[in-house]
Amino acid sequence: MIRLLRPRLVLAGLACAAGLLAGCSLPPLEGRSASQALPAAEARETPLGRAIEPLAQQHPGQAGIHPLTDPREAFAARVQLARQAQRTLDVQYYIWRGDTTGMLLLEALRAAADRGVRVRLLLDDNGIAGLDAELAALDAHPQVEVRLFNPFAFRAFKPLGYVTDFARANRRMHNKSFTADGTATVIGGRNVGDEYFGATDGVLFADLDVLAVGPVAQAVSTSFDGYWASGSSYPIAALVGEPSAKALAEAEGRAALAQRSPAAAAYKEAVQRLPFMQQLVEGRLPLVWAPTQLVADDPAKGLARAGREQLLIHHMAEAIGEPARSLDLVSPYFVPTDQGADYFAALAKRGVRVRILTNSMAATDVLAVHSGYARHRQRLLEAGVVLYELKPDPAGDSPAGAPAEAGRREGRGLLGSSGSSLHAKTFGVDGRRVFVGSFNFDPRSARLNTELGLVIDSPLLAQQMERVFTERVPAGSWQVRRDPESGTLRWIDAAQQPPAELASEPLSRGWQRLAVMLLSLLPIEWML
């Protein structure tokens, strides 16, 4: 079901409950354990390190990149990294579901810890609904520590935390990384949950991760250390207490049940069938070697203490440079603001080809975000920006051109599988550089949430994205155009012959269009 607002936008109405939280506060951080990522010299001596080092020496200063567009391969990559790790696993996510894939990955972390691997799991507290018991049980393992970013002191009903400490609670950790032995890391847009790995009949997010090996993995580990030691990261044991024997037994029972489900069997089979980790260890995995830079927000942003030069958006602008020929951008939550719309318009007016793919009203899961985008469409189109809006129907052609069922289960092309909602966050510049990460082009990513991603200087990957926009995006989306005489918008469906032209937001309802119009009048863009 489409939501009118993201949950944070309606929490102000809970102010009357503030009295319930009197006396609730976060525990002190004194006494919190200290730890650091595996030093580079030790990382090179692990099995993963020994396998990758000869390849890295052939490409000094570069990273080996393997795109993970297939959702099951993306799941398998994480499980196989957990199985391959010998010394450390550093794992950082915004959302971790307690569903089939979420439970399987928690068990993969536990199995690694049983082998003696040190596991550090850092999760945003806003995205772990119902998992306190499971995470506390995992944290009880002597080789595991779980921390929560900007946690809510009142555990029974977390939204009340926005009432007493809105300024902090409104800042979330949106980073996503999975790093083994400081040597190989998965970075991208996927959270952990069935909808991100193609294991659900509901919303399937078309998404993109990359496996990266080489020096950039050490950079990710260093970034993780900063977040792990930040003033926003609290040991879960200090928030929920140590689990009782009964709670541990119940958590183990739920995990065992998830392991035995038919969906789990299918995913276990995928892990065994997909050979890429074995190929990596044997030096046979096709890797794109390219200069690659990690860009990340300083964790101080989580407490509103980061300066402009500590923000990802500043580092990204330096790493990417100014587009001279083309900019192809994919963002599920695209809210450019007046400043951003002016920037894209200026690029287009000076001859830079700007193409943007975002969710249509029918595909988005947050109508408020669509309102923040829709109010800028006229301005962008007038300047010559090309706008595509993803179709929601998984039975139709995807941007990657996959049939319905294949699109649900298999990735096709740089933007991943078909689905009913876009979630990939990537862009290509001048057919040369690509960004892959967690950053949405919206005010929340720029100013409130912490983010992380890779800037990859690879003409091969950037030109793949250009071909996707040219050859496949038109079939899986509606192109929005402006009638030059009337100024009204039209949605063009190029998949039909002749192309169909629609006069209103496709597959939308009247109440949705009215809601978007009303939401666009509210001063909420800074929160989107």
Side-chain angles (χ1 to χ4, degrees), residues 154-187:
F154 190 70
R155 309 303 296 173
F157 186 58
K158 290 181 184 179
L160 290 181
Y162 284 91
V163 177
T164 58
D165 197 3
F166 180 80
R168 181 186 64 83
N170 192 40
R171 292 178 176 270
R172 310 312 318 172
M173 183 192 74
H174 199 235
N175 309 38
K176 303 162 179 68
S177 66
F178 196 110
T179 307
D181 289 341
T183 301
T185 188
V186 174
I187 298 289

PDB file of all heavy atoms in Angstrom, residues 154-187:
ATOM      1  N   PHE A 154      13.081   4.414  24.622  1.00  0.00           N
ATOM      2  CA  PHE A 154      11.807   3.768  24.939  1.00  0.00           C
ATOM      3  C   PHE A 154      11.571   2.670  23.908  1.00  0.00           C
ATOM      4  O   PHE A 154      11.173   2.938  22.776  1.00  0.00           O
ATOM      5  CB  PHE A 154      10.679   4.807  24.919  1.00  0.00           C
ATOM      6  CG  PHE A 154       9.375   4.295  25.468  1.00  0.00           C
ATOM      7  CD1 PHE A 154       9.230   4.036  26.815  1.00  0.00           C
ATOM      8  CD2 PHE A 154       8.296   4.080  24.625  1.00  0.00           C
ATOM      9  CE1 PHE A 154       8.020   3.570  27.321  1.00  0.00           C
ATOM     10  CE2 PHE A 154       7.087   3.618  25.123  1.00  0.00           C
ATOM     11  CZ  PHE A 154       6.958   3.363  26.479  1.00  0.00           C
ATOM     12  N   ARG A 155      11.829   1.416  24.253  1.00  0.00           N
ATOM     13  CA  ARG A 155      11.834   0.323  23.285  1.00  0.00           C
ATOM     14  C   ARG A 155      10.431  -0.162  22.915  1.00  0.00           C
ATOM     15  O   ARG A 155      10.222  -0.683  21.813  1.00  0.00           O
ATOM     16  CB  ARG A 155      12.626  -0.875  23.834  1.00  0.00           C
ATOM     17  CG  ARG A 155      14.008  -0.563  24.357  1.00  0.00           C
ATOM     18  CD  ARG A 155      14.889   0.081  23.331  1.00  0.00           C
ATOM     19  NE  ARG A 155      15.175  -0.800  22.188  1.00  0.00           N
ATOM     20  CZ  ARG A 155      15.821  -0.407  21.097  1.00  0.00           C
ATOM     21  NH1 ARG A 155      16.209   0.859  20.982  1.00  0.00           N
ATOM     22  NH2 ARG A 155      16.056  -1.252  20.117  1.00  0.00           N
ATOM     23  N   ALA A 156       9.461  -0.012  23.831  1.00  0.00           N
ATOM     24  CA  ALA A 156       8.139  -0.574  23.596  1.00  0.00           C
ATOM     25  C   ALA A 156       7.429   0.092  22.420  1.00  0.00           C
ATOM     26  O   ALA A 156       6.670  -0.551  21.698  1.00  0.00           O
ATOM     27  CB  ALA A 156       7.283  -0.454  24.858  1.00  0.00           C
ATOM     28  N   PHE A 157       7.667   1.393  22.213  1.00  0.00           N
ATOM     29  CA  PHE A 157       7.047   2.122  21.109  1.00  0.00           C
ATOM     30  C   PHE A 157       8.023   3.200  20.662  1.00  0.00           C
ATOM     31  O   PHE A 157       7.979   4.342  21.113  1.00  0.00           O
ATOM     32  CB  PHE A 157       5.711   2.727  21.540  1.00  0.00           C
ATOM     33  CG  PHE A 157       4.952   3.370  20.396  1.00  0.00           C
ATOM     34  CD1 PHE A 157       4.589   2.638  19.270  1.00  0.00           C
ATOM     35  CD2 PHE A 157       4.608   4.711  20.460  1.00  0.00           C
ATOM     36  CE1 PHE A 157       3.900   3.236  18.225  1.00  0.00           C
ATOM     37  CE2 PHE A 157       3.905   5.309  19.421  1.00  0.00           C
ATOM     38  CZ  PHE A 157       3.552   4.570  18.297  1.00  0.00           C
ATOM     39  N   LYS A 158       8.927   2.818  19.772  1.00  0.00           N
ATOM     40  CA  LYS A 158      10.040   3.688  19.396  1.00  0.00           C
ATOM     41  C   LYS A 158       9.622   5.062  18.884  1.00  0.00           C
ATOM     42  O   LYS A 158      10.312   6.048  19.153  1.00  0.00           O
ATOM     43  CB  LYS A 158      10.909   2.986  18.342  1.00  0.00           C
ATOM     44  CG  LYS A 158      11.694   1.806  18.855  1.00  0.00           C
ATOM     45  CD  LYS A 158      12.538   1.220  17.725  1.00  0.00           C
ATOM     46  CE  LYS A 158      13.263  -0.021  18.148  1.00  0.00           C
ATOM     47  NZ  LYS A 158      14.056  -0.610  17.046  1.00  0.00           N
ATOM     48  N   PRO A 159       8.519   5.183  18.102  1.00  0.00           N
ATOM     49  CA  PRO A 159       8.182   6.505  17.578  1.00  0.00           C
ATOM     50  C   PRO A 159       8.065   7.593  18.630  1.00  0.00           C
ATOM     51  O   PRO A 159       8.243   8.769  18.324  1.00  0.00           O
ATOM     52  CB  PRO A 159       6.839   6.266  16.876  1.00  0.00           C
ATOM     53  CG  PRO A 159       6.910   4.843  16.432  1.00  0.00           C
ATOM     54  CD  PRO A 159       7.632   4.140  17.548  1.00  0.00           C
ATOM     55  N   LEU A 160       7.769   7.214  19.884  1.00  0.00           N
ATOM     56  CA  LEU A 160       7.692   8.246  20.917  1.00  0.00           C
ATOM     57  C   LEU A 160       9.045   8.912  21.148  1.00  0.00           C
ATOM     58  O   LEU A 160       9.108  10.022  21.672  1.00  0.00           O
ATOM     59  CB  LEU A 160       7.178   7.637  22.224  1.00  0.00           C
ATOM     60  CG  LEU A 160       5.711   7.206  22.225  1.00  0.00           C
ATOM     61  CD1 LEU A 160       5.319   6.655  23.582  1.00  0.00           C
ATOM     62  CD2 LEU A 160       4.797   8.355  21.833  1.00  0.00           C
ATOM     63  N   GLY A 161      10.119   8.260  20.733  1.00  0.00           N
ATOM     64  CA  GLY A 161      11.427   8.877  20.857  1.00  0.00           C
ATOM     65  C   GLY A 161      11.571  10.135  20.031  1.00  0.00           C
ATOM     66  O   GLY A 161      12.377  11.016  20.358  1.00  0.00           O
ATOM     67  N   TYR A 162      10.793  10.232  18.952  1.00  0.00           N
ATOM     68  CA  TYR A 162      10.833  11.451  18.149  1.00  0.00           C
ATOM     69  C   TYR A 162      10.270  12.647  18.922  1.00  0.00           C
ATOM     70  O   TYR A 162      10.576  13.797  18.619  1.00  0.00           O
ATOM     71  CB  TYR A 162      10.034  11.255  16.866  1.00  0.00           C
ATOM     72  CG  TYR A 162      10.727  10.418  15.821  1.00  0.00           C
ATOM     73  CD1 TYR A 162      10.544   9.041  15.790  1.00  0.00           C
ATOM     74  CD2 TYR A 162      11.559  10.988  14.870  1.00  0.00           C
ATOM     75  CE1 TYR A 162      11.168   8.260  14.826  1.00  0.00           C
ATOM     76  CE2 TYR A 162      12.190  10.223  13.916  1.00  0.00           C
ATOM     77  CZ  TYR A 162      11.990   8.855  13.894  1.00  0.00           C
ATOM     78  OH  TYR A 162      12.605   8.087  12.948  1.00  0.00           O
ATOM     79  N   VAL A 163       9.428  12.381  19.894  1.00  0.00           N
ATOM     80  CA  VAL A 163       8.785  13.465  20.625  1.00  0.00           C
ATOM     81  C   VAL A 163       9.776  14.165  21.544  1.00  0.00           C
ATOM     82  O   VAL A 163       9.836  15.383  21.599  1.00  0.00           O
ATOM     83  CB  VAL A 163       7.585  12.915  21.433  1.00  0.00           C
ATOM     84  CG1 VAL A 163       6.952  14.022  22.263  1.00  0.00           C
ATOM     85  CG2 VAL A 163       6.562  12.286  20.491  1.00  0.00           C
ATOM     86  N   THR A 164      10.570  13.375  22.253  1.00  0.00           N
ATOM     87  CA  THR A 164      11.476  13.955  23.237  1.00  0.00           C
ATOM     88  C   THR A 164      12.824  14.340  22.667  1.00  0.00           C
ATOM     89  O   THR A 164      13.531  15.151  23.267  1.00  0.00           O
ATOM     90  CB  THR A 164      11.702  12.963  24.390  1.00  0.00           C
ATOM     91  OG1 THR A 164      12.228  11.742  23.855  1.00  0.00           O
ATOM     92  CG2 THR A 164      10.396  12.682  25.113  1.00  0.00           C
ATOM     93  N   ASP A 165      13.215  13.758  21.534  1.00  0.00           N
ATOM     94  CA  ASP A 165      14.548  14.028  20.995  1.00  0.00           C
ATOM     95  C   ASP A 165      14.494  14.007  19.476  1.00  0.00           C
ATOM     96  O   ASP A 165      15.255  13.301  18.825  1.00  0.00           O
ATOM     97  CB  ASP A 165      15.542  12.978  21.516  1.00  0.00           C
ATOM     98  CG  ASP A 165      16.988  13.396  21.344  1.00  0.00           C
ATOM     99  OD1 ASP A 165      17.233  14.526  20.868  1.00  0.00           O
ATOM    100  OD2 ASP A 165      17.882  12.592  21.665  1.00  0.00           O
ATOM    101  N   PHE A 166      13.609  14.823  18.902  1.00  0.00           N
ATOM    102  CA  PHE A 166      13.372  14.787  17.460  1.00  0.00           C
ATOM    103  C   PHE A 166      14.631  15.121  16.669  1.00  0.00           C
ATOM    104  O   PHE A 166      14.928  14.485  15.649  1.00  0.00           O
ATOM    105  CB  PHE A 166      12.259  15.763  17.080  1.00  0.00           C
ATOM    106  CG  PHE A 166      11.953  15.775  15.605  1.00  0.00           C
ATOM    107  CD1 PHE A 166      11.154  14.795  15.040  1.00  0.00           C
ATOM    108  CD2 PHE A 166      12.471  16.765  14.783  1.00  0.00           C
ATOM    109  CE1 PHE A 166      10.880  14.794  13.682  1.00  0.00           C
ATOM    110  CE2 PHE A 166      12.201  16.768  13.417  1.00  0.00           C
ATOM    111  CZ  PHE A 166      11.403  15.785  12.874  1.00  0.00           C
ATOM    112  N   ALA A 167      15.399  16.101  17.107  1.00  0.00           N
ATOM    113  CA  ALA A 167      16.563  16.548  16.344  1.00  0.00           C
ATOM    114  C   ALA A 167      17.560  15.415  16.127  1.00  0.00           C
ATOM    115  O   ALA A 167      18.159  15.298  15.049  1.00  0.00           O
ATOM    116  CB  ALA A 167      17.238  17.715  17.059  1.00  0.00           C
ATOM    117  N   ARG A 168      17.732  14.556  17.143  1.00  0.00           N
ATOM    118  CA  ARG A 168      18.653  13.428  16.995  1.00  0.00           C
ATOM    119  C   ARG A 168      17.971  12.250  16.296  1.00  0.00           C
ATOM    120  O   ARG A 168      18.525  11.654  15.378  1.00  0.00           O
ATOM    121  CB  ARG A 168      19.167  12.980  18.368  1.00  0.00           C
ATOM    122  CG  ARG A 168      20.172  11.808  18.298  1.00  0.00           C
ATOM    123  CD  ARG A 168      20.529  11.323  19.696  1.00  0.00           C
ATOM    124  NE  ARG A 168      19.367  10.770  20.394  1.00  0.00           N
ATOM    125  CZ  ARG A 168      18.935   9.526  20.241  1.00  0.00           C
ATOM    126  NH1 ARG A 168      19.565   8.689  19.433  1.00  0.00           N
ATOM    127  NH2 ARG A 168      17.888   9.099  20.903  1.00  0.00           N
ATOM    128  N   ALA A 169      16.751  11.926  16.725  1.00  0.00           N
ATOM    129  CA  ALA A 169      16.066  10.758  16.177  1.00  0.00           C
ATOM    130  C   ALA A 169      15.753  10.912  14.694  1.00  0.00           C
ATOM    131  O   ALA A 169      15.610   9.916  13.983  1.00  0.00           O
ATOM    132  CB  ALA A 169      14.776  10.501  16.959  1.00  0.00           C
ATOM    133  N   ASN A 170      15.663  12.131  14.217  1.00  0.00           N
ATOM    134  CA  ASN A 170      15.370  12.372  12.809  1.00  0.00           C
ATOM    135  C   ASN A 170      16.590  12.151  11.918  1.00  0.00           C
ATOM    136  O   ASN A 170      16.482  12.198  10.696  1.00  0.00           O
ATOM    137  CB  ASN A 170      14.848  13.803  12.617  1.00  0.00           C
ATOM    138  CG  ASN A 170      14.245  14.026  11.243  1.00  0.00           C
ATOM    139  OD1 ASN A 170      13.554  13.168  10.711  1.00  0.00           O
ATOM    140  ND2 ASN A 170      14.520  15.187  10.652  1.00  0.00           N
ATOM    141  N   ARG A 171      17.733  11.904  12.530  1.00  0.00           N
ATOM    142  CA  ARG A 171      18.967  11.650  11.775  1.00  0.00           C
ATOM    143  C   ARG A 171      19.267  10.159  11.846  1.00  0.00           C
ATOM    144  O   ARG A 171      19.498   9.619  12.922  1.00  0.00           O
ATOM    145  CB  ARG A 171      20.127  12.472  12.348  1.00  0.00           C
ATOM    146  CG  ARG A 171      19.950  13.970  12.119  1.00  0.00           C
ATOM    147  CD  ARG A 171      21.082  14.775  12.737  1.00  0.00           C
ATOM    148  NE  ARG A 171      20.928  16.179  12.415  1.00  0.00           N
ATOM    149  CZ  ARG A 171      21.445  16.774  11.338  1.00  0.00           C
ATOM    150  NH1 ARG A 171      22.184  16.054  10.498  1.00  0.00           N
ATOM    151  NH2 ARG A 171      21.257  18.053  11.101  1.00  0.00           N
ATOM    152  N   ARG A 172      19.277   9.515  10.699  1.00  0.00           N
ATOM    153  CA  ARG A 172      19.433   8.073  10.655  1.00  0.00           C
ATOM    154  C   ARG A 172      20.709   7.678   9.906  1.00  0.00           C
ATOM    155  O   ARG A 172      21.225   8.455   9.100  1.00  0.00           O
ATOM    156  CB  ARG A 172      18.236   7.391   9.978  1.00  0.00           C
ATOM    157  CG  ARG A 172      16.866   7.786  10.489  1.00  0.00           C
ATOM    158  CD  ARG A 172      16.688   7.779  11.986  1.00  0.00           C
ATOM    159  NE  ARG A 172      17.299   6.636  12.665  1.00  0.00           N
ATOM    160  CZ  ARG A 172      17.378   6.538  13.990  1.00  0.00           C
ATOM    161  NH1 ARG A 172      16.921   7.528  14.765  1.00  0.00           N
ATOM    162  NH2 ARG A 172      17.917   5.470  14.536  1.00  0.00           N
ATOM    163  N   MET A 173      21.208   6.493  10.195  1.00  0.00           N
ATOM    164  CA  MET A 173      22.367   5.938   9.491  1.00  0.00           C
ATOM    165  C   MET A 173      21.860   5.102   8.324  1.00  0.00           C
ATOM    166  O   MET A 173      21.339   4.011   8.498  1.00  0.00           O
ATOM    167  CB  MET A 173      23.196   5.067  10.441  1.00  0.00           C
ATOM    168  CG  MET A 173      24.470   4.513   9.805  1.00  0.00           C
ATOM    169  SD  MET A 173      25.230   3.221  10.819  1.00  0.00           S
ATOM    170  CE  MET A 173      24.088   1.855  10.516  1.00  0.00           C
ATOM    171  N   HIS A 174      22.035   5.613   7.118  1.00  0.00           N
ATOM    172  CA  HIS A 174      21.528   4.977   5.907  1.00  0.00           C
ATOM    173  C   HIS A 174      22.607   4.141   5.204  1.00  0.00           C
ATOM    174  O   HIS A 174      22.362   3.558   4.154  1.00  0.00           O
ATOM    175  CB  HIS A 174      20.989   6.073   4.971  1.00  0.00           C
ATOM    176  CG  HIS A 174      20.060   5.598   3.918  1.00  0.00           C
ATOM    177  ND1 HIS A 174      20.259   5.849   2.580  1.00  0.00           N
ATOM    178  CD2 HIS A 174      18.905   4.879   3.983  1.00  0.00           C
ATOM    179  CE1 HIS A 174      19.284   5.325   1.863  1.00  0.00           C
ATOM    180  NE2 HIS A 174      18.445   4.725   2.695  1.00  0.00           N
ATOM    181  N   ASN A 175      23.807   4.076   5.760  1.00  0.00           N
ATOM    182  CA  ASN A 175      24.932   3.353   5.167  1.00  0.00           C
ATOM    183  C   ASN A 175      24.627   1.867   5.032  1.00  0.00           C
ATOM    184  O   ASN A 175      23.886   1.300   5.829  1.00  0.00           O
ATOM    185  CB  ASN A 175      26.188   3.497   6.026  1.00  0.00           C
ATOM    186  CG  ASN A 175      26.513   4.930   6.372  1.00  0.00           C
ATOM    187  OD1 ASN A 175      25.623   5.729   6.630  1.00  0.00           O
ATOM    188  ND2 ASN A 175      27.790   5.251   6.413  1.00  0.00           N
ATOM    189  N   LYS A 176      25.263   1.248   4.026  1.00  0.00           N
ATOM    190  CA  LYS A 176      25.090  -0.194   3.795  1.00  0.00           C
ATOM    191  C   LYS A 176      26.430  -0.768   3.351  1.00  0.00           C
ATOM    192  O   LYS A 176      26.918  -0.462   2.258  1.00  0.00           O
ATOM    193  CB  LYS A 176      24.030  -0.437   2.723  1.00  0.00           C
ATOM    194  CG  LYS A 176      22.659   0.182   3.059  1.00  0.00           C
ATOM    195  CD  LYS A 176      21.803   0.297   1.815  1.00  0.00           C
ATOM    196  CE  LYS A 176      20.442   0.892   2.129  1.00  0.00           C
ATOM    197  NZ  LYS A 176      20.515   2.287   2.534  1.00  0.00           N
ATOM    198  N   SER A 177      27.026  -1.619   4.197  1.00  0.00           N
ATOM    199  CA  SER A 177      28.289  -2.255   3.827  1.00  0.00           C
ATOM    200  C   SER A 177      28.415  -3.590   4.549  1.00  0.00           C
ATOM    201  O   SER A 177      27.894  -3.765   5.651  1.00  0.00           O
ATOM    202  CB  SER A 177      29.488  -1.359   4.162  1.00  0.00           C
ATOM    203  OG  SER A 177      29.631  -1.187   5.562  1.00  0.00           O
ATOM    204  N   PHE A 178      29.123  -4.519   3.903  1.00  0.00           N
ATOM    205  CA  PHE A 178      29.345  -5.863   4.440  1.00  0.00           C
ATOM    206  C   PHE A 178      30.782  -6.221   4.081  1.00  0.00           C
ATOM    207  O   PHE A 178      31.094  -6.508   2.914  1.00  0.00           O
ATOM    208  CB  PHE A 178      28.358  -6.850   3.801  1.00  0.00           C
ATOM    209  CG  PHE A 178      28.216  -8.165   4.499  1.00  0.00           C
ATOM    210  CD1 PHE A 178      27.052  -8.481   5.175  1.00  0.00           C
ATOM    211  CD2 PHE A 178      29.241  -9.105   4.485  1.00  0.00           C
ATOM    212  CE1 PHE A 178      26.893  -9.712   5.815  1.00  0.00           C
ATOM    213  CE2 PHE A 178      29.104 -10.331   5.123  1.00  0.00           C
ATOM    214  CZ  PHE A 178      27.921 -10.633   5.801  1.00  0.00           C
ATOM    215  N   THR A 179      31.688  -6.197   5.064  1.00  0.00           N
ATOM    216  CA  THR A 179      33.123  -6.293   4.799  1.00  0.00           C
ATOM    217  C   THR A 179      33.734  -7.474   5.527  1.00  0.00           C
ATOM    218  O   THR A 179      33.556  -7.627   6.740  1.00  0.00           O
ATOM    219  CB  THR A 179      33.842  -4.998   5.232  1.00  0.00           C
ATOM    220  OG1 THR A 179      33.191  -3.868   4.621  1.00  0.00           O
ATOM    221  CG2 THR A 179      35.299  -5.020   4.814  1.00  0.00           C
ATOM    222  N   ALA A 180      34.466  -8.313   4.771  1.00  0.00           N
ATOM    223  CA  ALA A 180      35.098  -9.509   5.321  1.00  0.00           C
ATOM    224  C   ALA A 180      36.607  -9.346   5.340  1.00  0.00           C
ATOM    225  O   ALA A 180      37.217  -9.031   4.306  1.00  0.00           O
ATOM    226  CB  ALA A 180      34.719 -10.737   4.489  1.00  0.00           C
ATOM    227  N   ASP A 181      37.210  -9.535   6.508  1.00  0.00           N
ATOM    228  CA  ASP A 181      38.659  -9.523   6.681  1.00  0.00           C
ATOM    229  C   ASP A 181      39.320  -8.270   6.129  1.00  0.00           C
ATOM    230  O   ASP A 181      40.495  -8.296   5.719  1.00  0.00           O
ATOM    231  CB  ASP A 181      39.288 -10.761   6.026  1.00  0.00           C
ATOM    232  CG  ASP A 181      38.972 -12.044   6.791  1.00  0.00           C
ATOM    233  OD1 ASP A 181      38.596 -11.938   7.981  1.00  0.00           O
ATOM    234  OD2 ASP A 181      39.089 -13.130   6.207  1.00  0.00           O
ATOM    235  N   GLY A 182      38.600  -7.170   6.096  1.00  0.00           N
ATOM    236  CA  GLY A 182      39.158  -5.918   5.605  1.00  0.00           C
ATOM    237  C   GLY A 182      39.646  -5.991   4.180  1.00  0.00           C
ATOM    238  O   GLY A 182      40.444  -5.157   3.740  1.00  0.00           O
ATOM    239  N   THR A 183      39.153  -6.980   3.424  1.00  0.00           N
ATOM    240  CA  THR A 183      39.704  -7.283   2.103  1.00  0.00           C
ATOM    241  C   THR A 183      38.675  -7.222   0.990  1.00  0.00           C
ATOM    242  O   THR A 183      38.980  -6.834  -0.130  1.00  0.00           O
ATOM    243  CB  THR A 183      40.341  -8.693   2.127  1.00  0.00           C
ATOM    244  OG1 THR A 183      41.368  -8.720   3.106  1.00  0.00           O
ATOM    245  CG2 THR A 183      40.931  -9.068   0.781  1.00  0.00           C
ATOM    246  N   ALA A 184      37.445  -7.630   1.284  1.00  0.00           N
ATOM    247  CA  ALA A 184      36.371  -7.635   0.287  1.00  0.00           C
ATOM    248  C   ALA A 184      35.126  -7.051   0.935  1.00  0.00           C
ATOM    249  O   ALA A 184      34.811  -7.356   2.089  1.00  0.00           O
ATOM    250  CB  ALA A 184      36.095  -9.049  -0.211  1.00  0.00           C
ATOM    251  N   THR A 185      34.418  -6.220   0.196  1.00  0.00           N
ATOM    252  CA  THR A 185      33.252  -5.540   0.755  1.00  0.00           C
ATOM    253  C   THR A 185      32.134  -5.468  -0.271  1.00  0.00           C
ATOM    254  O   THR A 185      32.393  -5.393  -1.477  1.00  0.00           O
ATOM    255  CB  THR A 185      33.627  -4.120   1.229  1.00  0.00           C
ATOM    256  OG1 THR A 185      32.531  -3.527   1.933  1.00  0.00           O
ATOM    257  CG2 THR A 185      34.022  -3.220   0.064  1.00  0.00           C
ATOM    258  N   VAL A 186      30.891  -5.504   0.206  1.00  0.00           N
ATOM    259  CA  VAL A 186      29.714  -5.275  -0.628  1.00  0.00           C
ATOM    260  C   VAL A 186      29.132  -3.921  -0.260  1.00  0.00           C
ATOM    261  O   VAL A 186      28.808  -3.669   0.912  1.00  0.00           O
ATOM    262  CB  VAL A 186      28.658  -6.380  -0.447  1.00  0.00           C
ATOM    263  CG1 VAL A 186      27.383  -6.036  -1.220  1.00  0.00           C
ATOM    264  CG2 VAL A 186      29.202  -7.724  -0.925  1.00  0.00           C
ATOM    265  N   ILE A 187      29.021  -3.049  -1.250  1.00  0.00           N
ATOM    266  CA  ILE A 187      28.515  -1.684  -1.067  1.00  0.00           C
ATOM    267  C   ILE A 187      27.377  -1.467  -2.052  1.00  0.00           C
ATOM    268  O   ILE A 187      27.430  -1.946  -3.187  1.00  0.00           O
ATOM    269  CB  ILE A 187      29.624  -0.649  -1.353  1.00  0.00           C
ATOM    270  CG1 ILE A 187      30.794  -0.811  -0.394  1.00  0.00           C
ATOM    271  CG2 ILE A 187      29.075   0.773  -1.295  1.00  0.00           C
ATOM    272  CD1 ILE A 187      30.508  -0.395   1.016  1.00  0.00           C
TER     273      ILE A 187
END
